[in-house]
């Protein structure tokens, strides 16, 4: 295993900014337009308003080896594509038996999860919420508020990320604005 000396990272809870990020990833609407249920509205926004930042990840760089514990922040901007709130792509872990912990830092989110055998779960997250993503559950976070939703994630280095299954099959549940509030509803495009 790679030898790492101890370190501390300072985190700004409102923005998710790390004092010394090892990497920063930005996901824009153009990176994930096909993941929103209202594809026409995603295309209209891209054509009329231009691209927009959906979320940003800042993490520490660690070797993807047994025993290492990667951690990062995610900041999801506020907004919707049609009725559907801004969200992450979402993924299964490539090693399905690896779980994860999320900790809410600011704003209001909904953690949407599902298994390959058809179970679904949607958990509210606010500052101070510690959410457990058990092994075998795909996970996507959604900003259900009107300010940035920021959370911290901790996982095992060999978990890996399987985005392809969600890109192909989608999530069974969507988070949409309904009657003036966020609601978790069935995805009409997933049987
Ligand atoms: C990593 C963990 C999170 C996400 C991040 C972005 O296992 O679940 O750090 O990577 O929230 O979401 P996504 O779906 O684009 O990786
Ligand atoms: Zn994960």
């Amino acid at each position: 295993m790679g030898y790492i000396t101890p370190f501390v990272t300072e985190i700004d809870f409102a923005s998710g900014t790390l004092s010394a990020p090892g990497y920063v990833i930005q996901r824009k609407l153009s990176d994930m337009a096909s993941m929103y249920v209202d594809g026409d509205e995603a295309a209209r926004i891209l054509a009329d308003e231009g691209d927009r930042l959906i979320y940003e990840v800042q993490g520490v760089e660690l070797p993807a080896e047994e025993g290492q514990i990667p951690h990062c922040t995610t900041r999801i901007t506020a907004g919707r594509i049609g009725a559907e709130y801004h969200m992450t792509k979402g993924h299964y872990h490539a090693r399905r038996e690896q779980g994860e912990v999320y900790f809410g830092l600011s704003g209001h989110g909904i953690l949407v999860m599902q298994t390959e055998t058809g179970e679904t779960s949607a958990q509210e997250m606010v500052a101070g919420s510690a959410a457990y993503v058990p092994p075998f559950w795909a996970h996507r976070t959604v900003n259900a508020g009107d300010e940035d939703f920021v959370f911290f994630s901790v996982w095992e280095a060999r978990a890996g990320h399987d985005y392809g299954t969600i890109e192909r099959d989608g999530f069974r549940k969507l988070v949409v604005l309904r009657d003036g509030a966020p609601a978790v509803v069935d995805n009409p495009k997933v049987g």
Side-chain angles (χ1 to χ4, degrees):
M1 181 172 40
Y3 181 77
I4 306 288
T5 55
F7 61 91
V8 169
T9 304
E10 304 299 335
I11 300 173
D12 182 85
F13 284 15
S15 66
T17 302
L18 304 191
S19 51
Y23 63 91
V24 177
I25 299 168
Q26 292 196 330
R27 299 285 185 219
K28 296 191 169 183
L29 179 56
S30 59
D31 298 318
M32 55 184 304
S34 62
M35 298 187 123
Y36 288 93
V37 72
D38 190 344
D40 291 346
E41 178 61 5
R44 187 202 64 74
I45 291 169
L46 287 170
D48 294 352
E49 301 170 20
D51 216 351
R52 68 166 76 155
L53 178 68
I54 304 291
Y55 62 103
E56 180 175 284
V57 177
Q58 297 199 7
V60 300
E61 195 73 65
L62 291 170
E65 304 173 335
E66 178 178 9
Q68 302 288 354
I69 310 288
H71 44 285
C72 73
T73 59
T74 304
R75 175 175 68 91
I76 308 176
T77 62
R80 283 178 282 111
I81 308 300
E84 196 174 7
Y85 289 88
H86 285 184
M87 62 190 185
T88 60
K89 289 184 168 189
H91 57 268
Y92 287 94
H93 289 156
R95 293 178 60 144
R96 297 288 196 269
E97 72 275 19
Q98 298 283 358
E100 181 160 7
V101 172
Y102 282 2
F103 187 76
L105 301 180
S106 60
H108 171 212
I110 297 180
L111 169 58
V112 179
M113 293 176 276
Q114 69 182 33
T115 66
E116 290 174 297
T117 52
E119 295 166 281
T120 61
S121 171
Q123 304 289 333
E124 297 270 347
M125 287 186 67
V126 294
S129 302
Y132 184 47
V133 179
F136 303 103
W137 287 77
H139 37 292
R140 160 180 285 166
T141 38
V142 181
N143 185 342
D146 51 15
E147 58 183 346
D148 285 348
F149 169 53
V150 183
F151 63 97
F152 183 67
S153 312
V154 183
W155 67 99
E156 207 275 351
R158 294 168 308 156
H161 295 88
D162 168 12
Y163 291 100
T165 302
I166 294 299
E167 283 168 0
R168 188 190 65 217
D169 298 343
F171 268 81
R172 293 185 189 86
K173 298 290 183 182
L174 308 177
V175 182
V176 298
L177 176 66
R178 183 165 286 182
D179 300 328
V184 179
V185 301
D186 289 337
N187 183 346
K189 292 185 170 172
V190 176

